[in-house]
Amino acid sequence: AQSVTQLDSHVSVSEGTPVLLRCNYSSSYSPSLFWYVQHPNKGLQLLLKYTSAATLVKGINGFEAEFKKSETSFHLTKPSAHMSDAAEYFCVVSDLDSGAGSYQLTFGKGTKLSVIP
Amino acid sequence: DAEITQSPRHKITETGRQVTLACHQTWNHNNMFWYRQDLGHGLRLIHYSYGVHDTNKGEVSDGYSVSRSNTEDLPLTLESAASSQTSVYFCASSERLSAGGTGELFFGEGSRLTVL
């Protein structure tokens, strides 16, 4: 069975400082991993995805994440926070279940990012 | 541009009433999903469908039903609304595995349901 743990429910940073949102996962297969962002009263939007190509993945709005298999981590980073980054972020693991011919998605519980002016 | 739309965006209803939330996607995706989002629980899967006439229960399916009569639509029905079903509901779709899908989801804007 797969699982996702977002290690911080709330992260607060000052504008212009780096952002680190942590995500650990467990998976029985070769997973795809995603980060989604949700702004208030909006749906979830894909930030970036890892699908077994390059381990360092670049996404929208200056975000990137590194897949580290040995640490089972997929942490999200950004060099310099902007006020518009204030939102909730979700880490998602997608396992290809070849036996079922489908994939199973598991969401983390989310990390709320606050950006202080 | 392809999109996924939900309606209504906001609804207030009374306990015991039947409620249907609509979801329509123009991505031509075979896979469609309904999630609910509650504080402290993240997103939880209610029902999902891998194609026309296919429906499956998720982890929190009690009190909900779906039907899939075409590719574009997956309406979610609350047979007899309960206060515990007050939540924000999200519909999503994705490409099927056999067509190169990776699990990436495309979300609607959400439907906020209040059951009094």
Side-chain angles (χ1 to χ4, degrees), chain A residues 32 34 36 38 41-46 49 51 88 90 94 96-97 101-105 107-109, chain B residues 9 31 33 35 37 40-43 48 50 90 94-97 101-105 107-109 112:
Chain A
S32 295
F34 307 85
Y36 287 85
Q38 184 182 30
N41 300 313
K42 293 290 188 182
L44 279 74
Q45 178 187 13
L46 182 69
K49 62 182 177 182
T51 56
E88 187 151 23
F90 293 92
S94 170
L96 297 179
D97 186 343
S102 65
Y103 43 77
Q104 302 296 322
L105 295 169
F107 281 78
K109 293 197 182 304
Chain B
R9 295 292 313 280
N31 304 331
F33 306 83
Y35 293 88
Q37 184 177 31
H41 291 278
L43 272 78
Y48 59 101
Y50 287 148
F90 287 98
S94 69
E95 185 64 274
R96 66 174 23 166
L97 175 63
T102 60
E104 178 181 347
L105 291 171
F107 283 87
E109 296 263 289
R112 184 177 295 275

mmCIF file of all heavy atoms in Angstrom, chain A residues 32 34 36 38 41-46 49 51 88 90 94 96-97 101-105 107-109, chain B residues 9 31 33 35 37 40-43 48 50 90 94-97 101-105 107-109 112:
data_model
loop_
_atom_site.group_PDB
_atom_site.id
_atom_site.type_symbol
_atom_site.label_atom_id
_atom_site.label_comp_id
_atom_site.label_asym_id
_atom_site.label_seq_id
_atom_site.Cartn_x
_atom_site.Cartn_y
_atom_site.Cartn_z
ATOM 1 N N SER A 32 4.698 7.720 -9.776
ATOM 2 C CA SER A 32 4.741 9.098 -10.253
ATOM 3 C C SER A 32 4.404 9.971 -9.059
ATOM 4 O O SER A 32 3.619 9.581 -8.190
ATOM 5 C CB SER A 32 3.725 9.324 -11.374
ATOM 6 O OG SER A 32 4.037 8.567 -12.516
ATOM 7 N N PHE A 34 3.533 14.075 -7.665
ATOM 8 C CA PHE A 34 3.018 15.371 -8.081
ATOM 9 C C PHE A 34 2.983 16.327 -6.893
ATOM 10 O O PHE A 34 2.827 15.912 -5.746
ATOM 11 C CB PHE A 34 1.575 15.237 -8.603
ATOM 12 C CG PHE A 34 1.388 14.209 -9.669
ATOM 13 C CD1 PHE A 34 1.182 12.884 -9.346
ATOM 14 C CD2 PHE A 34 1.392 14.572 -11.001
ATOM 15 C CE1 PHE A 34 0.997 11.926 -10.328
ATOM 16 C CE2 PHE A 34 1.206 13.630 -11.992
ATOM 17 C CZ PHE A 34 1.006 12.302 -11.660
ATOM 18 N N TYR A 36 0.555 19.690 -6.137
ATOM 19 C CA TYR A 36 -0.530 20.556 -6.559
ATOM 20 C C TYR A 36 -0.613 21.750 -5.608
ATOM 21 O O TYR A 36 -0.297 21.631 -4.427
ATOM 22 C CB TYR A 36 -1.872 19.820 -6.515
ATOM 23 C CG TYR A 36 -2.069 18.801 -7.600
ATOM 24 C CD1 TYR A 36 -1.586 17.498 -7.456
ATOM 25 C CD2 TYR A 36 -2.749 19.132 -8.771
ATOM 26 C CE1 TYR A 36 -1.776 16.563 -8.458
ATOM 27 C CE2 TYR A 36 -2.941 18.192 -9.778
ATOM 28 C CZ TYR A 36 -2.452 16.908 -9.610
ATOM 29 O OH TYR A 36 -2.632 15.982 -10.606
ATOM 30 N N GLN A 38 -3.306 24.853 -4.199
ATOM 31 C CA GLN A 38 -4.695 25.287 -4.122
ATOM 32 C C GLN A 38 -4.754 26.663 -3.480
ATOM 33 O O GLN A 38 -4.447 26.815 -2.293
ATOM 34 C CB GLN A 38 -5.540 24.299 -3.310
ATOM 35 C CG GLN A 38 -7.010 24.669 -3.277
ATOM 36 C CD GLN A 38 -7.820 23.713 -2.428
ATOM 37 O OE1 GLN A 38 -7.331 23.130 -1.466
ATOM 38 N NE2 GLN A 38 -9.088 23.537 -2.783
ATOM 39 N N ASN A 41 -10.473 29.121 -2.175
ATOM 40 C CA ASN A 41 -11.725 29.013 -2.940
ATOM 41 C C ASN A 41 -11.503 28.631 -4.397
ATOM 42 O O ASN A 41 -12.305 28.985 -5.276
ATOM 43 C CB ASN A 41 -12.513 30.320 -2.869
ATOM 44 C CG ASN A 41 -12.865 30.690 -1.447
ATOM 45 O OD1 ASN A 41 -13.340 29.850 -0.685
ATOM 46 N ND2 ASN A 41 -12.589 31.921 -1.064
ATOM 47 N N LYS A 42 -10.431 27.918 -4.643
ATOM 48 C CA LYS A 42 -10.119 27.479 -6.005
ATOM 49 C C LYS A 42 -9.894 25.973 -6.033
ATOM 50 O O LYS A 42 -9.733 25.338 -4.994
ATOM 51 C CB LYS A 42 -8.840 28.173 -6.510
ATOM 52 C CG LYS A 42 -8.984 29.672 -6.708
ATOM 53 C CD LYS A 42 -9.869 29.994 -7.875
ATOM 54 C CE LYS A 42 -9.863 31.478 -8.181
ATOM 55 N NZ LYS A 42 -10.782 31.809 -9.305
ATOM 56 N N GLY A 43 -9.892 25.416 -7.245
ATOM 57 C CA GLY A 43 -9.541 24.017 -7.401
ATOM 58 C C GLY A 43 -8.036 23.826 -7.333
ATOM 59 O O GLY A 43 -7.277 24.795 -7.204
ATOM 60 N N LEU A 44 -7.605 22.590 -7.404
ATOM 61 C CA LEU A 44 -6.185 22.292 -7.344
ATOM 62 C C LEU A 44 -5.563 22.429 -8.728
ATOM 63 O O LEU A 44 -6.150 22.033 -9.734
ATOM 64 C CB LEU A 44 -5.959 20.864 -6.828
ATOM 65 C CG LEU A 44 -6.033 20.671 -5.331
ATOM 66 C CD1 LEU A 44 -7.468 20.740 -4.825
ATOM 67 C CD2 LEU A 44 -5.395 19.341 -4.937
ATOM 68 N N GLN A 45 -4.362 22.977 -8.748
ATOM 69 C CA GLN A 45 -3.638 23.193 -9.996
ATOM 70 C C GLN A 45 -2.297 22.483 -9.917
ATOM 71 O O GLN A 45 -1.609 22.549 -8.893
ATOM 72 C CB GLN A 45 -3.416 24.695 -10.205
ATOM 73 C CG GLN A 45 -2.631 25.060 -11.443
ATOM 74 C CD GLN A 45 -2.288 26.534 -11.508
ATOM 75 O OE1 GLN A 45 -2.414 27.259 -10.534
ATOM 76 N NE2 GLN A 45 -1.849 26.980 -12.669
ATOM 77 N N LEU A 46 -1.916 21.800 -10.989
ATOM 78 C CA LEU A 46 -0.644 21.080 -11.003
ATOM 79 C C LEU A 46 0.529 22.058 -10.999
ATOM 80 O O LEU A 46 0.601 22.974 -11.824
ATOM 81 C CB LEU A 46 -0.566 20.194 -12.239
ATOM 82 C CG LEU A 46 0.697 19.343 -12.350
ATOM 83 C CD1 LEU A 46 0.684 18.253 -11.276
ATOM 84 C CD2 LEU A 46 0.802 18.714 -13.744
ATOM 85 N N LYS A 49 5.424 17.592 -11.842
ATOM 86 C CA LYS A 49 5.266 16.151 -11.727
ATOM 87 C C LYS A 49 6.573 15.433 -12.034
ATOM 88 O O LYS A 49 7.391 15.895 -12.840
ATOM 89 C CB LYS A 49 4.168 15.635 -12.653
ATOM 90 C CG LYS A 49 4.440 15.859 -14.139
ATOM 91 C CD LYS A 49 3.256 15.349 -14.967
ATOM 92 C CE LYS A 49 3.479 15.630 -16.447
ATOM 93 N NZ LYS A 49 2.307 15.190 -17.269
ATOM 94 N N THR A 51 7.856 11.698 -13.324
ATOM 95 C CA THR A 51 7.351 10.458 -13.928
ATOM 96 C C THR A 51 8.508 9.590 -14.414
ATOM 97 O O THR A 51 8.476 9.064 -15.512
ATOM 98 C CB THR A 51 6.403 10.760 -15.088
ATOM 99 O OG1 THR A 51 7.091 11.600 -16.042
ATOM 100 C CG2 THR A 51 5.161 11.465 -14.627
ATOM 101 N N GLU A 88 -2.322 26.486 -0.235
ATOM 102 C CA GLU A 88 -2.118 25.150 0.328
ATOM 103 C C GLU A 88 -1.520 24.259 -0.753
ATOM 104 O O GLU A 88 -1.908 24.345 -1.926
ATOM 105 C CB GLU A 88 -3.429 24.569 0.839
ATOM 106 C CG GLU A 88 -3.247 23.267 1.594
ATOM 107 C CD GLU A 88 -4.300 23.045 2.663
ATOM 108 O OE1 GLU A 88 -5.389 23.632 2.544
ATOM 109 O OE2 GLU A 88 -4.041 22.267 3.602
ATOM 110 N N PHE A 90 -0.289 20.320 -1.943
ATOM 111 C CA PHE A 90 -0.552 18.902 -1.748
ATOM 112 C C PHE A 90 0.458 18.060 -2.523
ATOM 113 O O PHE A 90 0.679 18.289 -3.717
ATOM 114 C CB PHE A 90 -1.963 18.531 -2.227
ATOM 115 C CG PHE A 90 -3.058 19.133 -1.406
ATOM 116 C CD1 PHE A 90 -3.612 20.356 -1.749
ATOM 117 C CD2 PHE A 90 -3.544 18.479 -0.283
ATOM 118 C CE1 PHE A 90 -4.624 20.920 -0.995
ATOM 119 C CE2 PHE A 90 -4.560 19.041 0.482
ATOM 120 C CZ PHE A 90 -5.095 20.264 0.128
ATOM 121 N N SER A 94 1.230 8.575 -7.211
ATOM 122 C CA SER A 94 0.431 7.781 -8.132
ATOM 123 C C SER A 94 1.185 6.506 -8.448
ATOM 124 O O SER A 94 2.268 6.547 -9.018
ATOM 125 C CB SER A 94 0.183 8.575 -9.418
ATOM 126 O OG SER A 94 -0.385 7.748 -10.419
ATOM 127 N N LEU A 96 1.400 2.914 -10.342
ATOM 128 C CA LEU A 96 0.855 2.129 -11.440
ATOM 129 C C LEU A 96 0.675 0.697 -10.955
ATOM 130 O O LEU A 96 1.647 0.003 -10.696
ATOM 131 C CB LEU A 96 1.787 2.179 -12.641
ATOM 132 C CG LEU A 96 1.996 3.565 -13.246
ATOM 133 C CD1 LEU A 96 2.961 3.508 -14.403
ATOM 134 C CD2 LEU A 96 0.668 4.153 -13.687
ATOM 135 N N ASP A 97 -0.564 0.294 -10.822
ATOM 136 C CA ASP A 97 -0.862 -1.058 -10.375
ATOM 137 C C ASP A 97 -1.085 -1.913 -11.612
ATOM 138 O O ASP A 97 -2.186 -1.971 -12.143
ATOM 139 C CB ASP A 97 -2.107 -1.034 -9.488
ATOM 140 C CG ASP A 97 -2.400 -2.392 -8.872
ATOM 141 O OD1 ASP A 97 -1.863 -3.401 -9.369
ATOM 142 O OD2 ASP A 97 -3.165 -2.437 -7.903
ATOM 143 N N GLY A 101 -4.364 -2.941 -13.745
ATOM 144 C CA GLY A 101 -4.447 -2.183 -14.983
ATOM 145 C C GLY A 101 -4.864 -0.748 -14.778
ATOM 146 O O GLY A 101 -5.495 -0.149 -15.644
ATOM 147 N N SER A 102 -4.526 -0.200 -13.648
ATOM 148 C CA SER A 102 -4.929 1.178 -13.349
ATOM 149 C C SER A 102 -3.875 1.794 -12.443
ATOM 150 O O SER A 102 -2.842 1.203 -12.179
ATOM 151 C CB SER A 102 -6.297 1.205 -12.677
ATOM 152 O OG SER A 102 -6.229 0.563 -11.417
ATOM 153 N N TYR A 103 -4.118 2.978 -11.975
ATOM 154 C CA TYR A 103 -3.224 3.578 -11.003
ATOM 155 C C TYR A 103 -4.020 4.090 -9.821
ATOM 156 O O TYR A 103 -5.181 4.424 -9.931
ATOM 157 C CB TYR A 103 -2.377 4.690 -11.615
ATOM 158 C CG TYR A 103 -3.125 5.624 -12.536
ATOM 159 C CD1 TYR A 103 -3.957 6.615 -12.025
ATOM 160 C CD2 TYR A 103 -2.983 5.524 -13.909
ATOM 161 C CE1 TYR A 103 -4.634 7.463 -12.872
ATOM 162 C CE2 TYR A 103 -3.657 6.376 -14.752
ATOM 163 C CZ TYR A 103 -4.478 7.342 -14.231
ATOM 164 O OH TYR A 103 -5.140 8.184 -15.079
ATOM 165 N N GLN A 104 -3.354 4.096 -8.706
ATOM 166 C CA GLN A 104 -3.971 4.530 -7.463
ATOM 167 C C GLN A 104 -3.307 5.822 -7.003
ATOM 168 O O GLN A 104 -2.098 5.914 -6.965
ATOM 169 C CB GLN A 104 -3.805 3.444 -6.398
ATOM 170 C CG GLN A 104 -4.389 2.102 -6.790
ATOM 171 C CD GLN A 104 -5.891 2.154 -6.958
ATOM 172 O OE1 GLN A 104 -6.587 2.825 -6.211
ATOM 173 N NE2 GLN A 104 -6.394 1.464 -7.972
ATOM 174 N N LEU A 105 -4.121 6.796 -6.669
ATOM 175 C CA LEU A 105 -3.625 8.093 -6.214
ATOM 176 C C LEU A 105 -3.813 8.233 -4.722
ATOM 177 O O LEU A 105 -4.871 7.897 -4.203
ATOM 178 C CB LEU A 105 -4.373 9.221 -6.918
ATOM 179 C CG LEU A 105 -4.192 9.339 -8.424
ATOM 180 C CD1 LEU A 105 -5.194 10.314 -8.995
ATOM 181 C CD2 LEU A 105 -2.788 9.769 -8.744
ATOM 182 N N PHE A 107 -3.287 11.240 -1.714
ATOM 183 C CA PHE A 107 -2.989 12.639 -1.411
ATOM 184 C C PHE A 107 -2.399 12.756 -0.013
ATOM 185 O O PHE A 107 -2.837 12.078 0.921
ATOM 186 C CB PHE A 107 -4.273 13.468 -1.447
ATOM 187 C CG PHE A 107 -4.728 13.836 -2.822
ATOM 188 C CD1 PHE A 107 -5.369 12.905 -3.622
ATOM 189 C CD2 PHE A 107 -4.521 15.106 -3.318
ATOM 190 C CE1 PHE A 107 -5.796 13.236 -4.891
ATOM 191 C CE2 PHE A 107 -4.949 15.451 -4.581
ATOM 192 C CZ PHE A 107 -5.582 14.507 -5.377
ATOM 193 N N GLY A 108 -1.430 13.653 0.130
ATOM 194 C CA GLY A 108 -1.042 14.089 1.460
ATOM 195 C C GLY A 108 -2.118 14.996 2.030
ATOM 196 O O GLY A 108 -3.032 15.423 1.313
ATOM 197 N N LYS A 109 -2.013 15.305 3.319
ATOM 198 C CA LYS A 109 -3.031 16.118 3.964
ATOM 199 C C LYS A 109 -2.856 17.612 3.734
ATOM 200 O O LYS A 109 -3.692 18.402 4.164
ATOM 201 C CB LYS A 109 -3.068 15.816 5.467
ATOM 202 C CG LYS A 109 -3.554 14.402 5.765
ATOM 203 C CD LYS A 109 -3.966 14.238 7.199
ATOM 204 C CE LYS A 109 -4.405 12.816 7.518
ATOM 205 N NZ LYS A 109 -5.494 12.355 6.654
ATOM 206 N N ARG B 9 -21.847 25.926 -7.916
ATOM 207 C CA ARG B 9 -20.627 26.229 -7.158
ATOM 208 C C ARG B 9 -20.935 26.328 -5.652
ATOM 209 O O ARG B 9 -20.053 26.058 -4.836
ATOM 210 C CB ARG B 9 -20.003 27.535 -7.641
ATOM 211 C CG ARG B 9 -19.492 27.493 -9.075
ATOM 212 C CD ARG B 9 -18.271 26.569 -9.224
ATOM 213 N NE ARG B 9 -17.270 26.794 -8.206
ATOM 214 C CZ ARG B 9 -16.389 27.778 -8.236
ATOM 215 N NH1 ARG B 9 -16.371 28.634 -9.241
ATOM 216 N NH2 ARG B 9 -15.505 27.913 -7.257
ATOM 217 N N ASN B 31 -11.125 8.701 -17.313
ATOM 218 C CA ASN B 31 -11.164 8.590 -15.857
ATOM 219 C C ASN B 31 -11.741 9.857 -15.236
ATOM 220 O O ASN B 31 -11.313 10.970 -15.553
ATOM 221 C CB ASN B 31 -9.753 8.381 -15.306
ATOM 222 C CG ASN B 31 -9.071 7.172 -15.920
ATOM 223 O OD1 ASN B 31 -9.732 6.213 -16.309
ATOM 224 N ND2 ASN B 31 -7.759 7.222 -15.998
ATOM 225 N N PHE B 33 -13.273 11.441 -11.272
ATOM 226 C CA PHE B 33 -13.210 11.218 -9.827
ATOM 227 C C PHE B 33 -14.023 12.296 -9.093
ATOM 228 O O PHE B 33 -14.108 13.429 -9.547
ATOM 229 C CB PHE B 33 -11.757 11.338 -9.340
ATOM 230 C CG PHE B 33 -10.781 10.458 -10.072
ATOM 231 C CD1 PHE B 33 -10.244 10.861 -11.285
ATOM 232 C CD2 PHE B 33 -10.394 9.240 -9.547
ATOM 233 C CE1 PHE B 33 -9.335 10.061 -11.969
ATOM 234 C CE2 PHE B 33 -9.489 8.431 -10.213
ATOM 235 C CZ PHE B 33 -8.958 8.843 -11.429
ATOM 236 N N TYR B 35 -13.993 13.931 -5.177
ATOM 237 C CA TYR B 35 -13.351 14.038 -3.878
ATOM 238 C C TYR B 35 -14.145 15.001 -2.998
ATOM 239 O O TYR B 35 -14.799 15.907 -3.488
ATOM 240 C CB TYR B 35 -11.935 14.596 -4.000
ATOM 241 C CG TYR B 35 -10.940 13.702 -4.696
ATOM 242 C CD1 TYR B 35 -10.775 13.738 -6.072
ATOM 243 C CD2 TYR B 35 -10.143 12.832 -3.955
ATOM 244 C CE1 TYR B 35 -9.844 12.917 -6.698
ATOM 245 C CE2 TYR B 35 -9.207 12.011 -4.573
ATOM 246 C CZ TYR B 35 -9.065 12.067 -5.944
ATOM 247 O OH TYR B 35 -8.138 11.256 -6.565
ATOM 248 N N GLN B 37 -13.315 17.624 0.347
ATOM 249 C CA GLN B 37 -12.218 18.241 1.071
ATOM 250 C C GLN B 37 -12.736 18.825 2.363
ATOM 251 O O GLN B 37 -13.629 19.673 2.375
ATOM 252 C CB GLN B 37 -11.555 19.335 0.237
ATOM 253 C CG GLN B 37 -10.332 19.943 0.922
ATOM 254 C CD GLN B 37 -9.635 20.974 0.065
ATOM 255 O OE1 GLN B 37 -10.250 21.668 -0.734
ATOM 256 N NE2 GLN B 37 -8.316 21.071 0.216
ATOM 257 N N GLY B 40 -8.424 19.276 7.936
ATOM 258 C CA GLY B 40 -7.781 18.214 8.709
ATOM 259 C C GLY B 40 -7.778 16.853 8.036
ATOM 260 O O GLY B 40 -7.115 15.926 8.514
ATOM 261 N N HIS B 41 -8.525 16.730 6.927
ATOM 262 C CA HIS B 41 -8.597 15.427 6.240
ATOM 263 C C HIS B 41 -8.019 15.466 4.839
ATOM 264 O O HIS B 41 -7.869 14.433 4.196
ATOM 265 C CB HIS B 41 -10.048 14.955 6.148
ATOM 266 C CG HIS B 41 -10.639 14.572 7.459
ATOM 267 N ND1 HIS B 41 -10.435 13.337 8.047
ATOM 268 C CD2 HIS B 41 -11.413 15.272 8.320
ATOM 269 C CE1 HIS B 41 -11.076 13.285 9.195
ATOM 270 N NE2 HIS B 41 -11.671 14.444 9.395
ATOM 271 N N GLY B 42 -7.689 16.633 4.338
ATOM 272 C CA GLY B 42 -7.204 16.711 2.966
ATOM 273 C C GLY B 42 -8.312 16.329 2.000
ATOM 274 O O GLY B 42 -9.491 16.573 2.241
ATOM 275 N N LEU B 43 -7.935 15.701 0.900
ATOM 276 C CA LEU B 43 -8.909 15.238 -0.086
ATOM 277 C C LEU B 43 -9.153 13.748 0.098
ATOM 278 O O LEU B 43 -8.202 12.964 0.188
ATOM 279 C CB LEU B 43 -8.406 15.488 -1.504
ATOM 280 C CG LEU B 43 -8.746 16.849 -2.090
ATOM 281 C CD1 LEU B 43 -7.812 17.902 -1.535
ATOM 282 C CD2 LEU B 43 -8.688 16.813 -3.602
ATOM 283 N N TYR B 48 -15.257 6.902 -8.223
ATOM 284 C CA TYR B 48 -14.506 7.159 -9.445
ATOM 285 C C TYR B 48 -15.016 6.252 -10.561
ATOM 286 O O TYR B 48 -15.693 5.245 -10.313
ATOM 287 C CB TYR B 48 -12.997 6.982 -9.237
ATOM 288 C CG TYR B 48 -12.555 5.619 -8.762
ATOM 289 C CD1 TYR B 48 -12.017 4.697 -9.647
ATOM 290 C CD2 TYR B 48 -12.637 5.271 -7.418
ATOM 291 C CE1 TYR B 48 -11.592 3.463 -9.210
ATOM 292 C CE2 TYR B 48 -12.215 4.026 -6.973
ATOM 293 C CZ TYR B 48 -11.689 3.131 -7.862
ATOM 294 O OH TYR B 48 -11.266 1.900 -7.426
ATOM 295 N N TYR B 50 -13.781 4.678 -14.567
ATOM 296 C CA TYR B 50 -12.749 4.519 -15.583
ATOM 297 C C TYR B 50 -13.331 4.505 -16.993
ATOM 298 O O TYR B 50 -12.612 4.236 -17.958
ATOM 299 C CB TYR B 50 -11.934 3.255 -15.342
ATOM 300 C CG TYR B 50 -10.987 3.340 -14.162
ATOM 301 C CD1 TYR B 50 -10.692 2.217 -13.403
ATOM 302 C CD2 TYR B 50 -10.363 4.537 -13.809
ATOM 303 C CE1 TYR B 50 -9.811 2.273 -12.320
ATOM 304 C CE2 TYR B 50 -9.489 4.608 -12.734
ATOM 305 C CZ TYR B 50 -9.221 3.475 -11.998
ATOM 306 O OH TYR B 50 -8.342 3.549 -10.935
ATOM 307 N N PHE B 90 -14.896 18.244 -5.026
ATOM 308 C CA PHE B 90 -14.109 18.475 -6.238
ATOM 309 C C PHE B 90 -14.252 17.308 -7.191
ATOM 310 O O PHE B 90 -14.134 16.151 -6.800
ATOM 311 C CB PHE B 90 -12.626 18.671 -5.909
ATOM 312 C CG PHE B 90 -12.330 19.989 -5.268
ATOM 313 C CD1 PHE B 90 -12.202 20.092 -3.889
ATOM 314 C CD2 PHE B 90 -12.188 21.123 -6.044
ATOM 315 C CE1 PHE B 90 -11.936 21.315 -3.303
ATOM 316 C CE2 PHE B 90 -11.913 22.359 -5.462
ATOM 317 C CZ PHE B 90 -11.795 22.455 -4.086
ATOM 318 N N SER B 94 -8.721 12.434 -15.572
ATOM 319 C CA SER B 94 -7.342 12.124 -15.978
ATOM 320 C C SER B 94 -7.349 11.199 -17.187
ATOM 321 O O SER B 94 -8.348 10.524 -17.470
ATOM 322 C CB SER B 94 -6.578 11.483 -14.818
ATOM 323 O OG SER B 94 -7.063 10.190 -14.542
ATOM 324 N N GLU B 95 -6.207 11.156 -17.841
ATOM 325 C CA GLU B 95 -6.033 10.279 -18.996
ATOM 326 C C GLU B 95 -5.890 8.840 -18.529
ATOM 327 O O GLU B 95 -5.335 8.578 -17.474
ATOM 328 C CB GLU B 95 -4.774 10.713 -19.765
ATOM 329 C CG GLU B 95 -4.538 9.969 -21.057
ATOM 330 C CD GLU B 95 -5.623 10.227 -22.064
ATOM 331 O OE1 GLU B 95 -6.649 9.516 -22.010
ATOM 332 O OE2 GLU B 95 -5.476 11.145 -22.895
ATOM 333 N N ARG B 96 -6.377 7.905 -19.311
ATOM 334 C CA ARG B 96 -6.285 6.511 -18.910
ATOM 335 C C ARG B 96 -4.855 6.006 -19.028
ATOM 336 O O ARG B 96 -4.044 6.519 -19.803
ATOM 337 C CB ARG B 96 -7.230 5.625 -19.722
ATOM 338 C CG ARG B 96 -6.882 5.518 -21.175
ATOM 339 C CD ARG B 96 -7.734 4.516 -21.933
ATOM 340 N NE ARG B 96 -9.013 4.215 -21.345
ATOM 341 C CZ ARG B 96 -9.973 3.575 -21.998
ATOM 342 N NH1 ARG B 96 -9.790 3.210 -23.250
ATOM 343 N NH2 ARG B 96 -11.110 3.305 -21.413
ATOM 344 N N LEU B 97 -4.563 4.983 -18.265
ATOM 345 C CA LEU B 97 -3.234 4.384 -18.228
ATOM 346 C C LEU B 97 -2.783 3.934 -19.606
ATOM 347 O O LEU B 97 -1.660 4.203 -20.036
ATOM 348 C CB LEU B 97 -3.249 3.198 -17.269
ATOM 349 C CG LEU B 97 -1.988 2.350 -17.174
ATOM 350 C CD1 LEU B 97 -0.832 3.169 -16.656
ATOM 351 C CD2 LEU B 97 -2.234 1.155 -16.266
ATOM 352 N N GLY B 101 -1.435 7.768 -19.602
ATOM 353 C CA GLY B 101 -1.723 8.524 -18.396
ATOM 354 C C GLY B 101 -0.770 8.199 -17.264
ATOM 355 O O GLY B 101 -0.293 7.064 -17.134
ATOM 356 N N THR B 102 -0.498 9.217 -16.442
ATOM 357 C CA THR B 102 0.421 9.039 -15.316
ATOM 358 C C THR B 102 -0.275 9.249 -13.978
ATOM 359 O O THR B 102 0.346 9.124 -12.937
ATOM 360 C CB THR B 102 1.562 10.064 -15.395
ATOM 361 O OG1 THR B 102 1.005 11.379 -15.339
ATOM 362 C CG2 THR B 102 2.358 9.885 -16.685
ATOM 363 N N GLY B 103 -1.521 9.584 -14.020
ATOM 364 C CA GLY B 103 -2.230 9.916 -12.795
ATOM 365 C C GLY B 103 -2.439 11.402 -12.617
ATOM 366 O O GLY B 103 -3.082 11.822 -11.659
ATOM 367 N N GLU B 104 -1.902 12.228 -13.515
ATOM 368 C CA GLU B 104 -2.116 13.669 -13.390
ATOM 369 C C GLU B 104 -3.598 13.977 -13.467
ATOM 370 O O GLU B 104 -4.300 13.514 -14.365
ATOM 371 C CB GLU B 104 -1.392 14.420 -14.503
ATOM 372 C CG GLU B 104 -1.610 15.921 -14.464
ATOM 373 C CD GLU B 104 -0.919 16.646 -15.586
ATOM 374 O OE1 GLU B 104 -0.072 16.028 -16.266
ATOM 375 O OE2 GLU B 104 -1.227 17.829 -15.791
ATOM 376 N N LEU B 105 -4.081 14.748 -12.498
ATOM 377 C CA LEU B 105 -5.497 15.085 -12.405
ATOM 378 C C LEU B 105 -5.753 16.519 -12.847
ATOM 379 O O LEU B 105 -4.960 17.412 -12.566
ATOM 380 C CB LEU B 105 -5.986 14.929 -10.967
ATOM 381 C CG LEU B 105 -6.070 13.507 -10.424
ATOM 382 C CD1 LEU B 105 -6.352 13.542 -8.932
ATOM 383 C CD2 LEU B 105 -7.141 12.711 -11.140
ATOM 384 N N PHE B 107 -8.594 19.370 -12.242
ATOM 385 C CA PHE B 107 -9.653 19.610 -11.270
ATOM 386 C C PHE B 107 -10.633 20.685 -11.716
ATOM 387 O O PHE B 107 -10.271 21.656 -12.392
ATOM 388 C CB PHE B 107 -9.048 20.071 -9.936
ATOM 389 C CG PHE B 107 -8.453 18.962 -9.132
ATOM 390 C CD1 PHE B 107 -7.140 18.570 -9.329
ATOM 391 C CD2 PHE B 107 -9.209 18.310 -8.169
ATOM 392 C CE1 PHE B 107 -6.588 17.538 -8.576
ATOM 393 C CE2 PHE B 107 -8.665 17.277 -7.414
ATOM 394 C CZ PHE B 107 -7.354 16.891 -7.623
ATOM 395 N N GLY B 108 -11.877 20.515 -11.269
ATOM 396 C CA GLY B 108 -12.840 21.590 -11.342
ATOM 397 C C GLY B 108 -12.615 22.568 -10.203
ATOM 398 O O GLY B 108 -11.741 22.375 -9.345
ATOM 399 N N GLU B 109 -13.426 23.627 -10.173
ATOM 400 C CA GLU B 109 -13.253 24.699 -9.182
ATOM 401 C C GLU B 109 -13.893 24.366 -7.838
ATOM 402 O O GLU B 109 -13.690 25.091 -6.872
ATOM 403 C CB GLU B 109 -13.845 25.993 -9.721
ATOM 404 C CG GLU B 109 -13.133 26.524 -10.956
ATOM 405 C CD GLU B 109 -12.105 27.582 -10.611
ATOM 406 O OE1 GLU B 109 -12.528 28.701 -10.238
ATOM 407 O OE2 GLU B 109 -10.900 27.304 -10.719
ATOM 408 N N ARG B 112 -19.299 23.985 -3.137
ATOM 409 C CA ARG B 112 -19.418 24.076 -1.671
ATOM 410 C C ARG B 112 -20.846 23.759 -1.285
ATOM 411 O O ARG B 112 -21.777 24.471 -1.669
ATOM 412 C CB ARG B 112 -19.031 25.473 -1.192
ATOM 413 C CG ARG B 112 -19.037 25.632 0.315
ATOM 414 C CD ARG B 112 -18.564 27.018 0.720
ATOM 415 N NE ARG B 112 -17.181 27.248 0.369
ATOM 416 C CZ ARG B 112 -16.143 26.900 1.111
ATOM 417 N NH1 ARG B 112 -16.334 26.328 2.294
ATOM 418 N NH2 ARG B 112 -14.909 27.155 0.704
#
